[in-house]
Amino acid sequence: MWRKFTFLRVSHFFRNTTAGAAVLTGCAGAQALYLQRRYEPLPEARGPLSGVARSAQQARTTTEAPRLPFGSSRLEASSLDPLLPRLPPRGRKNILFVGDSLITGVGCSQERSHGPALPRAVAEFLSKALRVDVSWVAIGETAADVRALRTNLVPLLSREVEAMRERGQHVDAVVIICGLNDFKNAYRSAGNTASDFRTELSSLVGEVKQHAGVQCTVVLPALPIHRAPVFDGIWPLQSFLGRVAALWDEQKAHLAHRLRCVAYVRNAERDEWWSGKQYWAVDGIHPNDEGYRIWGEHIAHGILPHLVPVPS
């Protein structure tokens, strides 16, 4: 009798737990759909889609070592000194950026015309740190998921790589910003799973390396979507979205662990202040110029070890 009673209690618990999880998931999906329908798109950044961060100019604009992002202490010059002697007296790094609205610069000020802020911030940080010129090219498509990046942007990347080779240059790194438009549609179709995302992303990385070269480092940054103020205080969506975004970012980490010359840049720790509205555009989902600068420096710091030649 006791065993039967215990079994019924356990069964009742699991039924309630499963039902509760389904209700919360459905509620979060409804909240996400509501926000998506109310969303008013912001324009892309104005200005050039490529540029060069000049080492001499960066040295004139600041006498301090580059800053570590997310409120951390400044990057001490002594931490870079062991790396710098390995660099040639003259050099240039070429970085391509491929991605969605975070690459096209949605959220940047329309009063300026400097182009997308994220690629420029990464290039400027690396130029200061490595003391070389760093060129950047932004290849983006607003609202693109990984499939769209493969279909629409890989051909553009291929042409850019060929143009560099004709000038006697090569691509040192390709930064791929993706995932936002993949996991936000996860509730719409059974085909939009984390596993499907990993498969598509693996194919994208392979195609990028096919064009840019196997020695080119492909960088896959995590997205700080869990700090976007548009979701602040919306329960259960905020908690649910944070877990889903982390699951999609885990696929990037998995590929970086498995594939050669692929780097994963995780989100910074102790980044609670990153939720401050002063770092985000009015839509609450895209960073503003200052937010892009901070995030760009964080990504650049993760790229830095991969751009320093290993002594022979």
Side-chain angles (χ1 to χ4, degrees):
M1 183 68 180
W2 171 250
R3 289 182 179 178
K4 182 178 180 181
F5 176 72
T6 302
F7 173 77
L8 290 175
R9 289 185 61 188
V10 171
S11 300
H12 179 71
F13 170 78
F14 277 107
R15 282 200 302 271
N16 286 348
T17 301
T18 303
V23 169
L24 291 178
T25 300
C27 181
Q31 291 172 330
L33 184 60
Y34 173 76
L35 290 177
Q36 193 168 356
R37 287 177 174 174
R38 285 175 53 88
Y39 177 71
E40 296 183 5
L42 297 178
E44 298 175 354
R46 298 172 58 238
L49 298 178
S50 62
V52 180
R54 301 289 182 184
S55 176
Q57 182 178 359
Q58 299 304 319
R60 287 196 300 269
T61 57
T62 178
T63 58
E64 297 177 319
R67 287 175 293 177
L68 274 174
F70 296 96
S72 303
S73 59
R74 290 188 180 277
L75 180 62
E76 298 295 337
S78 59
S79 66
L80 288 177
D81 286 342
L83 304 179
L84 296 177
R86 306 179 197 168
L87 297 174
R90 289 187 177 183
R92 173 174 172 149
K93 300 297 181 183
N94 300 303
I95 304 179
L96 304 183
F97 294 81
V98 177
D100 51 27
S101 56
L102 298 168
I103 293 299
T104 62
V106 171
C108 291
S109 172
Q110 293 298 296
E111 297 178 358
R112 304 176 183 177
S113 56
H114 302 313
L118 180 64
R120 190 175 68 252
V122 173
E124 290 177 354
F125 182 98
L126 292 174
S127 179
K128 294 175 188 177
L130 298 174
R131 302 172 192 171
V132 298
D133 293 349
V134 178
S135 76
W136 59 271
V137 178
I139 306 171
E141 179 180 320
T142 298
D145 58 10
V146 173
R147 292 186 183 93
L149 298 185
R150 293 181 60 196
T151 302
N152 302 335
L153 300 190
V154 169
L156 301 180
L157 177 140
S158 177
R159 289 201 288 269
E160 189 63 40
V161 171
E162 288 302 317
M164 285 187 177
R165 286 174 178 163
E166 290 177 0
R167 298 192 297 266
Q169 301 172 2
H170 66 276
V171 180
D172 294 282
V174 176
V175 180
I176 301 177
I177 303 293
C178 64
L180 176 62
N181 297 297
D182 296 89
F183 66 69
K184 80 177 185 181
N185 293 323
Y187 63 92
R188 288 186 167 185
S189 169
N192 295 327
T193 66
S195 177
D196 294 319
F197 173 71
R198 184 200 298 181
T199 300
E200 288 287 341
L201 183 57
S202 178
S203 298
L204 174 60
V205 170
E207 291 166 3
V208 166
K209 282 187 165 292
Q210 180 181 356
H211 294 290
V214 294
Q215 300 302 321
C216 170
T217 298
V218 174
V219 183
L220 305 174
L223 302 183
I225 190 66
H226 60 297
R227 296 301 181 190
V230 70
F231 306 115
D232 189 32
I234 301 179
W235 188 89
L237 176 59
Q238 186 175 30
S239 176
F240 178 80
L241 190 62
R243 291 186 177 92
V244 172
L247 180 59
W248 260 246
D249 282 336
E250 285 178 11
Q251 311 314 309
K252 303 174 185 178
H254 174 84
L255 291 179
H257 178 74
R258 183 170 61 87
L259 301 177
R260 184 172 177 270
C261 292
V262 177
Y264 173 64
V265 180
R266 65 182 66 255
N267 283 319
E269 298 178 358
R270 299 186 302 275
D271 63 345
E272 293 81 5
W273 64 271
W274 182 231
S275 299
K277 292 184 178 180
Q278 65 268 32
Y279 304 111
W280 298 85
V282 294
D283 66 354
I285 191 68
H286 292 91
N288 58 19
D289 291 270
E290 180 64 6
Y292 277 123
R293 182 194 66 78
I294 294 172
W295 188 30
E297 290 187 357
H298 175 70
I299 293 173
H301 191 259
I303 297 174
L304 189 58
H306 301 276
L307 296 182
V308 178
V310 178
S312 56

